[in-house]
Amino acid sequence: MDLCASPLKRRAAVLAGVLLGAVVALQAQRPTGEIRVQVKDPSGAGMAVSGRLQSLAPGVQRSFQTDTQGVYTFPDLPYGRYRLEVSKDGFATQSVQIDVESGTPISRTVILSIGVQSSRVDIVATTPLAGTDLAVDQIAGPVQTATAADIANSGALGLGDFMNRRLNGVYFNEMQGNPFQPDVNFRGYTASPLLGTPEGISVYVDGVRQNQPFGDVVSWDLIPKDAISEMTLVPGSDPLFGLNTLGGAISVTTKSGITNPGVSGGILYGSSGRKQAEAEWGGGKATGFNWFVSGLAFHESGWRVDSPSDVGQGFVRLGWRTDKTDFALTTSYDYNILIGNGLQDYRLLANNYSSVYSIPDSTQNRSPSFNFIARHSFNNNLTLTGNAWYRNIRTYAIDANFNGDAQGQLIYQPTAQEQATLAAAGYTGFPTSGATIANTPFPKWPCLAEALTLGDPDQTCDGVNIYSNEIQNESGASGQITWLTSPSVGRNQFAAGASVDRGSVTYTQTTDYAYVNPNYTLTSVPAWQDGSTSVDGSPIDSAVGLHGVTPNWSLYFTDTLTLAKTVNVTVSGRYNRFTVDDTDLLNPIAGPGSLTGDYVFQRFNPAIGITWSPFSTVNAYARYSQGSRAPTSIELGCADPSAPCSLPNSLSSDPPLQQVVTDTWEAGLRGKPEISFLHNLSWNVGAFRAENHNDILFIAAPQTGTGYFQNFAKTLREGFDADLDGRMGRVTWGLDWTFLSATYQSTETLDGSANNTNNFALQGYPGLDGIITVQPGDRIPLIPKQTGKAYADFQATSKLLFDLNEVVVSSSYARGNENNAYQADGVYYLGPGVSPGYAVTNFRAHYDLSRHWQLALQIDNLFNHEYYTAAWLSNTALSGSGAIQSLPFPVYTTGPYAGNAPAQSATFFSPGAPRRAWVELRLKF
């Protein structure tokens, strides 16, 4: 018998009773206040509108309708922070934050602006989980927000496309050449679906991180556009959003039956064979049960040769809400087949703007996901939020490439032995002599013959097909507690949380040989890079089998203290522990040639910020923040310059890389002046500086799609941004501009095989693989110095709205031109080595046929400009006429590099889409 059990039980009972009594006392002491709202139109007249008042901690959820004077009163409101949202057809939806802190009634006037193109969001969540909402002027940085209405009315294809059209500092690199697979860049940092791209932006949907375990990539096609309720772009290296938050974080909240009741849908048809059907339905019951369902089916033939896209997205959210508790279960399923045929030699684009280099480059994504979200308010000041999730992503890809090893070889005329092999196999029609590039621009016979004998296809086959299969599973849970207090010096909001997740990936890759057809498709031959073929007696084996596990956990906190209602000080931090546990499925014993290895990365990142409102219409902000990202499995396995990877091709064991750490400083001014003839005017001017230490960059190798990863001592991204938005009469308008200087800050030696300033070219041997040296101050490729956005929405009548928006991007250096010194010589090195600047104008018109039906016309690239969103220096396997050129120049016969065959290099561009138009019919109840 345990003699201590009884006293312990008594003490526990007493403690439980004390806690229960405290909770009951807190619940009993519920002081209340009152909010009086008046809504006016731009002329100052009151107007009847509908709206919703919601406490930021569960407990109050009230829908309301103002009277004809625009007035409504909310009595008996428990103390706390509330979000008020008002809306009316033909006007922009607006939301504001109101703090009820005393029994004195609070009066708030809301002025709605004409137009349906934009909605104002003045309250922003500062962590991936809900519960830490702050007013925009309490956040030390120029956060940007958008609502479902903004995205739908912009005509954007998805979230990434919307940000490129409307958000300041965001621009595209369309490296994949598919509209659902863009590289989304912000301030020189990237969120990309392409393996090998250094990922510097974190993305969350309902608190679930979308950066995948393998490569931290972001598949934009797996984020259902129709399910987005609100999105926020948080600038800088905010540690609260965890790993990969170097340049910014994107946080998305999905729709529910409470926020988006009703039925709506639409059909779209137009250029490039684009067809789209979408529908959504949301609602709720008095019991608190609510639901939201959406679905989208999309097909497009594509404007480039053989570039179709098929996208299917489904989303369901089931919720239950009481006075103090909110539960929701979301599930989504995506099944997408995307063809993106990438960059093209600039000479061939000049001949045919829709041409492609090689076919196909196919990605199939299948992904079910589940997320359980819970939120409970113990009282008006204490809230617990959490979620638990699981998602599965299956990606199957085919990457058709030219075989760089065949460059420098004579592949046109089959030898006598090869002719005998072909004849014995029953082939006829092969040339017996005299085959050259002139009469055989697309050779295949030597490739077939060497494949049949498993001889030397690596030297005779001008193409390879890379097949990869990737299965990712990720599960995790996170929790957060938010505590609001009112100390004598002001108001304080404190939040602390923890997150734990486990990702796993199984990745396999095989490569077969192929020959290139006149339409640039590749035909496979029966030979593989699996050790059964060889070069000069050495087996070639590029097969990869990798299983990786990434168990991670983190702790974070944030505290915002409001002083005298004009100064807000925020201190925050996050500790991350990230583990990479890789097992080589083909060579599981750790050591040379094996991918097996364990890596642990851990770090605490802090942040501190302050805002000050010296006047009611002006707000100043300043912040320092720090973020980090750990090397991924693919970076750890592709860091050897002597063995570059055809991503996502052959990996090899390498010394571990260091994690990247970013320090960001930011300061600025913003305001909302009151000018009689300008309504809803807002402006922001700021400066930022982000220093990356041990940056991990993908360094271009000779062939398109190849390279390796390397730590850089330091890179720098700094600049200014400004925006101005408002309304004058019937026109709602906005101007955004960002100046960005992104430079290397250390001396590094990089691959320069396609650069005329490489060491061999400077020695008088152009066309050979060589290296270049990057100096501090050299600009980082693919990052333009200036980007700008402009839009104007003209409300012609109460039913007709015209929207015109402009995207302007300045020039940037091509990848491979890291030293900014490349100059074409017109013989060995072709093309400009830069991606020219461009301006694209988009047009959209909406007409309300009735209360429930709307017709829209959209024209992208209104003036049909030819432009390029990315550039790359690479060896080219094609002549200017498009023929296969395996030996463009004679082999060097003298000097130290005698016997080497020079290659020809060119600038490759990623072309932007030409003018295209669509018609859309929408229904809403």
Side-chain angles (χ1 to χ4, degrees), residues 330-403:
T330 70
T331 180
S332 65
Y333 185 78
D334 303 274
Y335 186 4
N336 307 326
I337 303 175
L338 310 175
I339 308 294
N341 289 317
L343 295 90
Q344 170 67 300
D345 188 321
Y346 82 103
R347 299 170 298 167
L348 303 180
L349 284 175
N351 295 332
N352 181 1
Y353 190 66
S354 64
S355 65
V356 298
Y357 193 59
S358 59
I359 302 173
D361 189 343
S362 171
T363 301
Q364 297 183 30
N365 282 327
R366 299 185 186 183
S367 179
S369 66
F370 305 89
N371 184 24
F372 177 72
I373 308 166
R375 188 176 179 186
H376 179 72
S377 176
F378 296 98
N379 53 52
N380 292 319
N381 298 320
L382 188 63
T383 303
L384 179 65
T385 309
N387 69 334
W389 69 88
Y390 167 78
R391 62 177 181 153
N392 169 268
I393 303 173
R394 293 174 176 264
T395 302
Y396 177 70
I398 302 175
D399 186 12
N401 282 328
F402 285 88
N403 178 21

Coordinates of all heavy atoms in Angstrom, one line a residue, residues 330-403:
T330 N -10.7 19.8 -43.0 CA -10.6 20.1 -44.4 C -10.0 18.9 -45.1 O -9.1 18.3 -44.5 CB -9.8 21.4 -44.7 OG1 -8.4 21.1 -44.3 CG2 -10.3 22.6 -43.8
T331 N -10.4 18.7 -46.3 CA -9.8 17.7 -47.1 C -9.7 18.2 -48.6 O -10.7 18.9 -49.0 CB -10.5 16.3 -47.0 OG1 -9.8 15.4 -47.9 CG2 -11.9 16.5 -47.5
S332 N -8.7 17.9 -49.2 CA -8.6 18.3 -50.6 C -8.0 17.1 -51.4 O -7.3 16.3 -50.9 CB -7.7 19.5 -50.8 OG -6.4 19.3 -50.4
Y333 N -8.3 17.1 -52.7 CA -7.7 16.2 -53.6 C -7.4 16.8 -54.9 O -8.2 17.6 -55.5 CB -8.6 15.0 -53.8 CG -7.9 13.9 -54.7 CD1 -7.0 13.0 -54.1 CD2 -8.2 13.7 -56.0 CE1 -6.4 12.1 -54.9 CE2 -7.6 12.8 -56.8 CZ -6.7 11.9 -56.2 OH -6.0 11.0 -57.0
D334 N -6.2 16.7 -55.4 CA -5.7 17.3 -56.7 C -5.2 16.2 -57.6 O -4.4 15.3 -57.1 CB -4.6 18.3 -56.4 CG -5.1 19.4 -55.5 OD1 -5.7 20.3 -55.9 OD2 -4.8 19.2 -54.3
Y335 N -5.6 16.2 -58.8 CA -5.1 15.3 -59.8 C -4.7 16.1 -61.1 O -5.6 16.5 -61.8 CB -6.1 14.2 -60.2 CG -5.6 13.1 -61.1 CD1 -4.3 13.1 -61.5 CD2 -6.5 12.1 -61.5 CE1 -3.9 12.0 -62.4 CE2 -6.1 11.1 -62.4 CZ -4.8 11.1 -62.8 OH -4.3 10.1 -63.6
N336 N -3.5 16.4 -61.3 CA -3.0 17.3 -62.3 C -2.0 16.7 -63.3 O -1.1 16.0 -62.8 CB -2.5 18.6 -61.7 CG -3.4 19.2 -60.7 OD1 -4.6 19.1 -60.8 ND2 -2.9 19.7 -59.6
I337 N -2.1 17.0 -64.5 CA -1.1 16.5 -65.5 C -0.7 17.8 -66.3 O -1.5 18.4 -66.9 CB -1.7 15.5 -66.5 CG1 -2.2 14.3 -65.8 CG2 -0.6 15.1 -67.5 CD1 -2.9 13.3 -66.7
L338 N 0.6 18.2 -66.1 CA 1.1 19.4 -66.6 C 2.3 19.2 -67.5 O 3.2 18.4 -67.2 CB 1.6 20.3 -65.4 CG 0.6 20.5 -64.3 CD1 1.2 21.2 -63.1 CD2 -0.7 21.2 -64.7
I339 N 2.2 19.8 -68.7 CA 3.3 19.7 -69.7 C 3.9 21.1 -69.7 O 3.3 22.1 -70.1 CB 2.8 19.3 -71.1 CG1 2.0 18.0 -71.0 CG2 4.0 19.1 -72.0 CD1 2.8 16.8 -70.5
G340 N 5.2 21.2 -69.4 CA 5.9 22.4 -69.5 C 7.2 22.2 -70.2 O 8.1 21.6 -69.6
N341 N 7.4 22.7 -71.4 CA 8.5 22.4 -72.2 C 9.7 23.4 -72.1 O 10.6 23.4 -73.0 CB 8.1 22.1 -73.7 CG 7.3 20.8 -73.8 OD1 7.7 19.8 -73.2 ND2 6.2 20.9 -74.5
G342 N 9.6 24.2 -71.1 CA 10.8 25.0 -70.7 C 11.4 26.0 -71.6 O 10.7 26.6 -72.5
L343 N 12.7 26.2 -71.5 CA 13.4 27.2 -72.2 C 13.7 26.8 -73.7 O 13.8 25.6 -74.0 CB 14.6 27.6 -71.5 CG 14.5 28.3 -70.1 CD1 14.5 27.3 -69.0 CD2 15.6 29.3 -69.9
Q344 N 14.0 27.8 -74.5 CA 14.2 27.5 -75.9 C 15.4 28.4 -76.4 O 15.5 29.6 -75.9 CB 13.0 27.7 -76.8 CG 13.2 27.7 -78.3 CD 13.6 26.3 -78.8 OE1 14.6 25.8 -78.4 NE2 12.8 25.8 -79.7
D345 N 16.2 27.9 -77.3 CA 17.2 28.7 -78.0 C 16.6 29.9 -78.6 O 15.6 29.8 -79.3 CB 17.9 27.8 -79.0 CG 19.1 28.4 -79.6 OD1 19.1 29.6 -79.9 OD2 20.1 27.6 -79.9
Y346 N 17.2 31.1 -78.3 CA 16.7 32.3 -78.8 C 16.5 32.4 -80.3 O 15.6 33.1 -80.8 CB 17.5 33.5 -78.2 CG 18.7 33.8 -79.1 CD1 18.8 34.9 -79.9 CD2 19.9 33.0 -79.0 CE1 19.9 35.2 -80.7 CE2 21.0 33.3 -79.8 CZ 21.0 34.4 -80.6 OH 22.1 34.6 -81.4
R347 N 17.4 31.7 -81.0 CA 17.4 31.7 -82.5 C 16.1 31.0 -83.0 O 15.5 31.5 -83.9 CB 18.6 31.1 -83.1 CG 19.9 31.8 -82.7 CD 21.1 30.9 -83.1 NE 21.1 29.6 -82.4 CZ 21.8 28.6 -82.8 NH1 22.7 28.7 -83.8 NH2 21.8 27.5 -82.1
L348 N 15.8 29.9 -82.3 CA 14.6 29.2 -82.7 C 13.3 29.9 -82.3 O 12.3 29.7 -83.0 CB 14.7 27.8 -82.2 CG 15.9 27.0 -82.5 CD1 15.9 25.6 -81.9 CD2 16.1 26.9 -84.0
L349 N 13.3 30.6 -81.2 CA 12.2 31.4 -80.9 C 11.9 32.5 -81.9 O 10.8 32.9 -82.1 CB 12.4 32.0 -79.5 CG 12.2 31.1 -78.3 CD1 12.5 31.8 -77.0 CD2 10.8 30.5 -78.2
A350 N 13.0 33.1 -82.4 CA 12.9 34.1 -83.4 C 12.2 33.6 -84.7 O 11.4 34.3 -85.3 CB 14.2 34.7 -83.8
N351 N 12.5 32.3 -85.0 CA 11.8 31.7 -86.1 C 10.4 31.3 -85.8 O 9.5 31.3 -86.7 CB 12.6 30.4 -86.6 CG 14.0 30.8 -87.1 OD1 14.2 31.9 -87.6 ND2 15.0 29.9 -86.9
N352 N 10.1 30.8 -84.6 CA 8.8 30.3 -84.2 C 8.7 30.5 -82.7 O 9.2 29.8 -81.9 CB 8.6 28.8 -84.6 CG 7.3 28.3 -84.2 OD1 6.4 29.0 -83.7 ND2 7.0 27.0 -84.5
Y353 N 7.9 31.5 -82.4 CA 7.8 31.9 -80.9 C 7.2 30.9 -80.1 O 7.4 30.8 -78.9 CB 7.0 33.2 -80.8 CG 7.0 33.9 -79.5 CD1 8.1 34.4 -78.9 CD2 5.8 34.0 -78.7 CE1 8.1 35.0 -77.7 CE2 5.8 34.6 -77.5 CZ 7.0 35.1 -77.0 OH 7.0 35.7 -75.7
S354 N 6.4 29.9 -80.7 CA 5.8 28.9 -79.9 C 6.5 27.6 -79.9 O 6.1 26.6 -79.4 CB 4.3 28.6 -80.4 OG 4.4 28.1 -81.7
S355 N 7.7 27.6 -80.4 CA 8.5 26.4 -80.5 C 9.1 25.9 -79.2 O 9.1 26.7 -78.2 CB 9.7 26.6 -81.5 OG 10.6 27.5 -81.0
V356 N 9.4 24.6 -79.1 CA 10.0 24.0 -77.9 C 11.3 23.3 -78.3 O 11.5 23.0 -79.4 CB 9.0 23.1 -77.2 CG1 7.8 23.8 -76.8 CG2 8.7 21.9 -78.1
Y357 N 12.1 23.1 -77.2 CA 13.5 22.6 -77.5 C 13.4 21.0 -77.5 O 14.0 20.4 -78.4 CB 14.4 23.0 -76.3 CG 15.9 22.8 -76.6 CD1 16.5 23.3 -77.7 CD2 16.6 22.0 -75.7 CE1 17.9 23.1 -77.9 CE2 18.0 21.8 -75.8 CZ 18.6 22.4 -76.9 OH 19.9 22.2 -77.1
S358 N 12.7 20.4 -76.6 CA 12.6 19.0 -76.6 C 11.3 18.6 -75.9 O 10.7 19.4 -75.1 CB 13.7 18.3 -75.8 OG 13.8 18.7 -74.5
I359 N 10.7 17.5 -76.3 CA 9.4 17.1 -75.9 C 9.4 15.6 -75.4 O 10.0 14.8 -76.1 CB 8.3 17.2 -77.1 CG1 8.3 18.6 -77.6 CG2 7.0 16.7 -76.6 CD1 7.5 18.8 -78.8
P360 N 8.8 15.3 -74.3 CA 8.0 16.1 -73.4 C 8.7 16.4 -72.1 O 9.8 15.8 -71.8 CB 6.8 15.3 -73.1 CG 7.4 13.9 -73.0 CD 8.5 13.8 -74.0
D361 N 8.2 17.4 -71.4 CA 8.6 17.6 -70.0 C 7.3 17.6 -69.2 O 6.6 18.5 -69.1 CB 9.3 18.9 -69.8 CG 9.9 19.1 -68.5 OD1 9.5 18.4 -67.6 OD2 10.8 20.0 -68.3
S362 N 7.0 16.4 -68.7 CA 5.7 16.1 -68.1 C 5.7 15.9 -66.6 O 6.7 15.3 -66.1 CB 5.0 14.9 -68.8 OG 3.9 14.5 -68.1
T363 N 4.8 16.5 -65.9 CA 4.7 16.3 -64.4 C 3.2 15.9 -64.1 O 2.3 16.6 -64.5 CB 5.1 17.6 -63.7 OG1 6.4 18.0 -64.0 CG2 5.0 17.3 -62.1
Q364 N 3.1 14.8 -63.4 CA 1.8 14.4 -62.9 C 1.8 14.4 -61.4 O 2.6 13.8 -60.7 CB 1.4 13.0 -63.3 CG 1.3 12.8 -64.8 CD 0.9 11.4 -65.2 OE1 0.2 10.7 -64.5 NE2 1.4 10.9 -66.4
N365 N 0.9 15.2 -60.8 CA 0.7 15.3 -59.4 C -0.6 14.8 -58.9 O -1.6 15.1 -59.4 CB 0.8 16.8 -58.9 CG 2.2 17.3 -58.9 OD1 3.2 16.6 -58.6 ND2 2.4 18.6 -59.2
R366 N -0.5 13.9 -57.9 CA -1.8 13.4 -57.2 C -1.6 13.7 -55.7 O -0.5 13.2 -55.2 CB -2.0 12.0 -57.5 CG -2.2 11.6 -59.0 CD -2.6 10.1 -59.1 NE -2.7 9.7 -60.5 CZ -3.0 8.5 -60.9 NH1 -3.3 7.6 -60.0 NH2 -3.1 8.2 -62.2
S367 N -2.5 14.3 -55.1 CA -2.3 14.6 -53.7 C -3.6 14.7 -53.0 O -4.4 15.7 -53.1 CB -1.6 16.0 -53.6 OG -1.4 16.3 -52.3
P368 N -3.9 13.8 -52.1 CA -4.9 14.0 -51.1 C -4.3 14.6 -49.8 O -3.1 14.3 -49.4 CB -5.4 12.5 -50.8 CG -4.2 11.7 -51.0 CD -3.3 12.4 -52.1
S369 N -5.1 15.4 -49.1 CA -4.6 16.0 -47.9 C -5.7 16.2 -46.9 O -6.9 16.3 -47.3 CB -3.9 17.4 -48.1 OG -4.9 18.3 -48.6
F370 N -5.4 16.2 -45.6 CA -6.4 16.3 -44.5 C -5.8 17.2 -43.5 O -4.6 17.2 -43.1 CB -6.7 15.0 -43.9 CG -7.2 13.9 -44.9 CD1 -6.3 13.1 -45.5 CD2 -8.6 13.8 -45.2 CE1 -6.7 12.2 -46.5 CE2 -9.0 12.9 -46.1 CZ -8.1 12.0 -46.7
N371 N -6.7 18.1 -42.9 CA -6.3 19.0 -41.8 C -7.4 19.2 -40.9 O -8.5 19.6 -41.2 CB -5.8 20.3 -42.5 CG -5.3 21.3 -41.4 OD1 -4.8 20.9 -40.4 ND2 -5.3 22.6 -41.7
F372 N -7.1 18.8 -39.6 CA -8.1 19.1 -38.5 C -7.7 20.3 -37.8 O -6.6 20.4 -37.3 CB -8.2 17.9 -37.6 CG -9.1 18.1 -36.5 CD1 -10.5 18.1 -36.6 CD2 -8.6 18.3 -35.2 CE1 -11.4 18.3 -35.6 CE2 -9.5 18.4 -34.1 CZ -10.9 18.4 -34.3
I373 N -8.6 21.3 -37.7 CA -8.3 22.6 -37.0 C -9.3 22.7 -35.8 O -10.5 22.5 -35.9 CB -8.6 23.7 -38.0 CG1 -7.8 23.5 -39.3 CG2 -8.2 25.0 -37.4 CD1 -8.3 24.4 -40.5
A374 N -8.7 23.1 -34.7 CA -9.5 23.3 -33.5 C -9.1 24.6 -32.8 O -7.9 25.0 -32.9 CB -9.2 22.2 -32.5
R375 N -10.1 25.3 -32.3 CA -9.8 26.6 -31.6 C -10.8 26.7 -30.4 O -12.0 26.5 -30.6 CB -10.0 27.7 -32.6 CG -9.6 29.1 -32.0 CD -9.7 30.1 -33.1 NE -9.4 31.5 -32.6 CZ -9.5 32.6 -33.3 NH1 -10.0 32.5 -34.5 NH2 -9.1 33.7 -32.8
H376 N -10.3 27.0 -29.3 CA -11.2 27.1 -28.1 C -10.8 28.3 -27.3 O -9.6 28.6 -27.1 CB -11.0 25.9 -27.2 CG -11.9 25.9 -25.9 ND1 -13.2 25.8 -26.0 CD2 -11.5 26.2 -24.7 CE1 -13.7 25.9 -24.7 NE2 -12.7 26.2 -23.9
S377 N -11.8 29.1 -26.9 CA -11.6 30.3 -26.1 C -12.0 30.0 -24.7 O -13.2 29.7 -24.4 CB -12.5 31.4 -26.7 OG -12.3 32.6 -25.9
F378 N -11.1 30.0 -23.8 CA -11.4 29.8 -22.3 C -12.1 31.0 -21.8 O -13.0 30.9 -20.9 CB -10.1 29.6 -21.6 CG -9.4 28.3 -22.0 CD1 -8.3 28.4 -22.8 CD2 -9.8 27.1 -21.5 CE1 -7.7 27.2 -23.2 CE2 -9.1 25.9 -21.8 CZ -8.1 26.0 -22.7
N379 N -11.7 32.2 -22.3 CA -12.4 33.5 -22.0 C -12.0 34.4 -23.1 O -11.4 34.0 -24.1 CB -12.1 34.0 -20.6 CG -10.6 34.1 -20.4 OD1 -9.9 34.7 -21.2 ND2 -10.0 33.6 -19.3
N380 N -12.4 35.7 -23.0 CA -12.1 36.6 -24.0 C -10.6 37.0 -24.2 O -10.3 37.6 -25.2 CB -12.9 37.9 -23.8 CG -14.4 37.7 -23.9 OD1 -14.8 37.1 -24.8 ND2 -15.1 38.3 -23.0
N381 N -9.8 36.5 -23.2 CA -8.4 36.9 -23.3 C -7.5 35.7 -23.5 O -6.3 35.9 -23.7 CB -8.0 37.6 -22.0 CG -8.7 38.9 -21.8 OD1 -8.9 39.6 -22.7 ND2 -9.2 39.2 -20.6
L382 N -8.0 34.5 -23.4 CA -7.2 33.3 -23.5 C -7.7 32.3 -24.5 O -8.9 31.8 -24.4 CB -7.1 32.6 -22.1 CG -6.1 31.5 -22.0 CD1 -4.6 32.0 -22.3 CD2 -6.2 30.8 -20.6
T383 N -6.9 32.0 -25.6 CA -7.4 31.2 -26.7 C -6.4 30.1 -27.0 O -5.2 30.4 -27.0 CB -7.7 32.0 -28.0 OG1 -8.6 33.0 -27.6 CG2 -8.2 31.2 -29.1
L384 N -6.8 28.9 -27.3 CA -6.0 27.8 -27.7 C -6.3 27.4 -29.1 O -7.5 27.2 -29.4 CB -6.1 26.6 -26.7 CG -5.3 25.4 -27.0 CD1 -3.8 25.7 -26.9 CD2 -5.7 24.2 -26.1
T385 N -5.3 27.3 -30.0 CA -5.5 27.0 -31.3 C -4.6 25.8 -31.7 O -3.4 25.8 -31.2 CB -5.3 28.2 -32.3 OG1 -6.0 29.3 -31.8 CG2 -5.7 27.8 -33.7
G386 N -5.0 24.9 -32.5 CA -4.2 23.8 -32.9 C -4.7 23.2 -34.2 O -5.8 23.4 -34.6
N387 N -3.8 22.4 -34.8 CA -4.2 21.6 -36.0 C -3.4 20.3 -36.1 O -2.3 20.2 -35.5 CB -4.2 22.4 -37.2 CG -2.7 22.8 -37.7 OD1 -1.8 22.8 -36.8 ND2 -2.5 23.0 -38.9
A388 N -3.9 19.4 -36.8 CA -3.2 18.1 -37.1 C -3.4 17.8 -38.5 O -4.6 17.9 -39.0 CB -3.6 17.0 -36.1
W389 N -2.4 17.4 -39.2 CA -2.6 17.2 -40.7 C -1.9 16.0 -41.2 O -0.9 15.5 -40.6 CB -2.1 18.5 -41.4 CG -0.6 18.7 -41.3 CD1 0.4 18.2 -42.2 CD2 0.1 19.4 -40.3 NE1 1.6 18.5 -41.8 CE2 1.5 19.3 -40.7 CE3 -0.2 20.2 -39.2 CZ2 2.5 19.9 -39.9 CZ3 0.8 20.8 -38.5 CH2 2.1 20.7 -38.8
Y390 N -2.3 15.6 -42.4 CA -1.6 14.6 -43.1 C -1.8 14.9 -44.6 O -2.9 15.3 -45.0 CB -2.2 13.2 -42.8 CG -1.7 12.1 -43.8 CD1 -0.4 11.6 -43.7 CD2 -2.5 11.8 -44.9 CE1 0.0 10.6 -44.7 CE2 -2.0 10.8 -45.9 CZ -0.8 10.3 -45.7 OH -0.3 9.4 -46.6
R391 N -0.7 14.7 -45.4 CA -0.9 14.8 -46.8 C 0.1 13.9 -47.5 O 1.1 13.5 -47.0 CB -0.7 16.2 -47.3 CG 0.7 16.8 -47.0 CD 0.8 18.2 -47.6 NE 2.1 18.8 -47.4 CZ 2.6 19.7 -48.2 NH1 1.9 20.2 -49.3 NH2 3.8 20.3 -48.0
N392 N -0.4 13.4 -48.7 CA 0.4 12.5 -49.5 C 0.5 13.2 -50.9 O -0.5 13.7 -51.5 CB -0.3 11.2 -49.6 CG 0.3 10.3 -50.7 OD1 -0.2 10.3 -51.8 ND2 1.3 9.5 -50.3
I393 N 1.7 13.1 -51.4 CA 2.0 13.7 -52.8 C 2.7 12.7 -53.6 O 3.8 12.2 -53.2 CB 2.8 15.0 -52.7 CG1 2.1 16.0 -51.8 CG2 3.0 15.6 -54.1 CD1 3.0 17.3 -51.5
R394 N 2.1 12.3 -54.7 CA 2.7 11.4 -55.7 C 3.0 12.2 -56.9 O 2.1 12.7 -57.6 CB 1.8 10.2 -56.0 CG 1.6 9.3 -54.7 CD 0.6 8.2 -55.0 NE 0.5 7.3 -53.9 CZ 1.1 6.2 -53.8 NH1 1.9 5.8 -54.7 NH2 0.9 5.4 -52.7
T395 N 4.3 12.2 -57.3 CA 4.7 13.0 -58.5 C 5.5 12.0 -59.4 O 6.5 11.4 -59.1 CB 5.6 14.1 -58.1 OG1 4.9 15.0 -57.2 CG2 6.0 14.9 -59.4
Y396 N 5.0 11.9 -60.7 CA 5.6 11.2 -61.7 C 6.0 12.1 -62.8 O 5.2 12.9 -63.3 CB 4.7 10.1 -62.2 CG 5.3 9.3 -63.4 CD1 6.4 8.4 -63.1 CD2 4.9 9.4 -64.7 CE1 7.0 7.7 -64.1 CE2 5.5 8.7 -65.7 CZ 6.5 7.8 -65.4 OH 7.1 7.1 -66.4
A397 N 7.3 12.1 -63.2 CA 7.8 13.1 -64.2 C 8.6 12.4 -65.3 O 9.3 11.4 -65.0 CB 8.6 14.1 -63.5
I398 N 8.5 12.9 -66.5 CA 9.3 12.6 -67.6 C 10.0 13.8 -68.1 O 9.3 14.8 -68.4 CB 8.5 11.9 -68.7 CG1 7.7 10.7 -68.2 CG2 9.4 11.5 -69.9 CD1 6.8 10.1 -69.3
D399 N 11.3 13.8 -68.2 CA 12.1 14.9 -68.6 C 12.9 14.5 -69.8 O 13.9 13.7 -69.7 CB 13.0 15.4 -67.4 CG 13.7 16.7 -67.8 OD1 13.4 17.3 -68.8 OD2 14.7 17.0 -67.0
A400 N 12.5 15.0 -71.0 CA 13.3 14.7 -72.2 C 14.4 15.8 -72.4 O 14.1 17.0 -72.5 CB 12.3 14.7 -73.4
N401 N 15.6 15.3 -72.5 CA 16.7 16.2 -72.7 C 17.6 15.7 -73.8 O 17.7 14.6 -74.2 CB 17.6 16.2 -71.4 CG 17.0 17.0 -70.3 OD1 16.3 18.0 -70.6 ND2 17.2 16.6 -69.1
F402 N 18.4 16.7 -74.4 CA 19.5 16.3 -75.3 C 20.6 15.7 -74.4 O 20.9 16.1 -73.3 CB 19.9 17.5 -76.0 CG 19.0 18.0 -77.1 CD1 18.0 18.9 -76.9 CD2 19.2 17.5 -78.4 CE1 17.1 19.2 -77.9 CE2 18.3 17.9 -79.4 CZ 17.3 18.7 -79.2
N403 N 21.3 14.8 -75.0 CA 22.4 14.1 -74.3 C 23.7 14.9 -74.6 O 24.2 14.9 -75.7 CB 22.5 12.7 -74.9 CG 23.7 11.9 -74.2 OD1 24.1 12.3 -73.2 ND2 24.1 10.9 -74.9

